[in-house]
Amino acid sequence: SAVISQKPSRDICQRGTSLTIQCQVDSQVTMMFWYRQQPGQSLTLIATANQGSEATYESGFVIDKFPISRPNLTFSTLTVSNMSPEDSSIYLCSVDKPGQGAYEQYFGPGTRLTVT
Amino acid sequence: GENVEQHPSTLSVQEGDSAVIKCTYSDSASNYFPWYKQELGKRPQLIIDIRSNVGEKKDQRIAVTLNKTAKHFSLHITETQPEDSAVYFCAATPMGGYSTLTFGKGTMLLVSP
């Protein structure tokens, strides 16, 4: 598996501001992912972050709103920009780690964001 | 892209009963199917997975079955316990390596003592 940490664990922010979420993993990984989980809902992939290249965004998510950095193989950040109440959600990072014959995905503890 | 349907959305059972959660997927290229358990306020945890070269996999009280022809897979929990109460998510990906997962909408399982 993997030991993954996120900072902050939660935050309350005012609309129009930005928040940067950090994700740290205990070993080098090639792929890191960022998800959003709205209350009572499933997980929606925002983007895939590969070290040394631009993040790949899913439909409905854009770089200007959710800029991502991936400076090395153990760390990534997701910024939620110009926030509105609709951005209130849990944001989770995840990583792929080698499992039994293929890669398995493990999640960080999440960042609970409330926008007022 | 891939679409994963999951049923039921909620499931209530008595302790000791079995529980079955079913998922269907749309992309015939999908070949990796993990299941996650998410307790309230916690992160999703990988509990079992299956790859398309296998029809069934067991791990103690949980098992997963896969029918590639029908494009559906199921999670089976036997002898349920109150601590099994959680939301369970199925997922699928067409990539055997790095997994861009598509998740089902989740099933809330409640096990009553």
Side-chain angles (χ1 to χ4, degrees):
Chain A
S1 62
V3 177
I4 307 168
S5 61
Q6 284 185 236
K7 291 181 181 180
S9 58
R10 59 179 61 225
D11 207 341
I12 301 173
C13 302
Q14 290 190 339
R15 67 176 67 206
T17 63
S18 298
L19 176 71
T20 296
I21 302 167
Q22 300 178 4
C23 179
Q24 179 79 51
V25 62
D26 66 335
S27 58
Q28 294 183 343
V29 294
T30 303
M31 306 296 281
M32 296 181 78
F33 306 88
W34 287 98
Y35 287 84
R36 182 172 73 184
Q37 186 175 31
Q38 296 181 310
Q41 303 296 314
S42 185
L43 297 101
T44 301
L45 181 64
I46 297 171
T48 301
N50 191 1
Q51 194 269 338
S53 64
E54 294 287 328
T56 302
Y57 289 83
E58 297 299 303
S59 177
F61 298 96
V62 295
I63 188 171
D64 290 346
K65 176 67 175 177
F66 298 101
I68 287 171
S69 77
R70 183 78 202 275
N72 58 52
L73 292 173
T74 63
F75 186 79
S76 179
T77 68
L78 169 76
T79 299
V80 186
S81 303
N82 188 25
M83 289 184 285
S84 67
E86 293 71 38
D87 294 319
S88 297
S89 190
I90 297 172
Y91 293 85
L92 300 112
C93 67
S94 69
V95 304
D96 265 351
K97 293 288 285 184
Q100 297 179 359
Y103 284 84
E104 298 171 350
Q105 197 163 129
Y106 298 94
F107 285 85
T111 296
R112 183 179 295 271
L113 171 62
T114 301
V115 183
T116 60
Chain B
E2 176 66 278
N3 182 51
V4 177
E5 299 285 338
Q6 184 172 347
H7 299 280
S9 57
T10 59
L11 179 59
S12 294
V13 300
Q14 292 289 320
E15 183 176 1
D17 289 349
S18 295
V20 181
I21 302 170
K22 299 181 179 181
C23 290
T24 61
Y25 61 98
S26 62
D27 190 342
S28 58
S30 286
N31 56 11
Y32 175 61
F33 308 93
W35 286 88
Y36 288 84
K37 174 184 181 182
Q38 188 175 32
E39 297 176 46
L40 188 63
K42 297 191 176 181
R43 75 186 79 189
Q45 289 194 306
L46 179 66
I47 56 171
I48 196 168
D49 56 20
I50 191 167
R51 290 164 179 83
S52 59
N53 59 344
V54 178
E56 183 176 5
K57 182 177 179 181
K58 287 184 179 180
D59 183 3
Q60 300 183 338
R61 295 187 298 107
I62 61 173
V64 58
T65 58
L66 171 65
N67 183 324
K68 287 172 54 181
T69 303
K71 288 191 275 189
H72 68 69
F73 56 111
S74 300
L75 177 71
H76 304 253
I77 306 174
T78 59
E79 300 174 23
T80 53
Q81 301 168 3
E83 51 264 38
D84 294 328
S85 296
V87 179
Y88 291 80
F89 293 99
C90 63
T93 178
M95 299 180 70
Y98 302 120
S99 46
T100 304
L101 297 173
T102 300
F103 284 86
K105 292 188 182 299
T107 296
M108 179 176 290
L109 174 64
L110 177 61
V111 181
S112 302

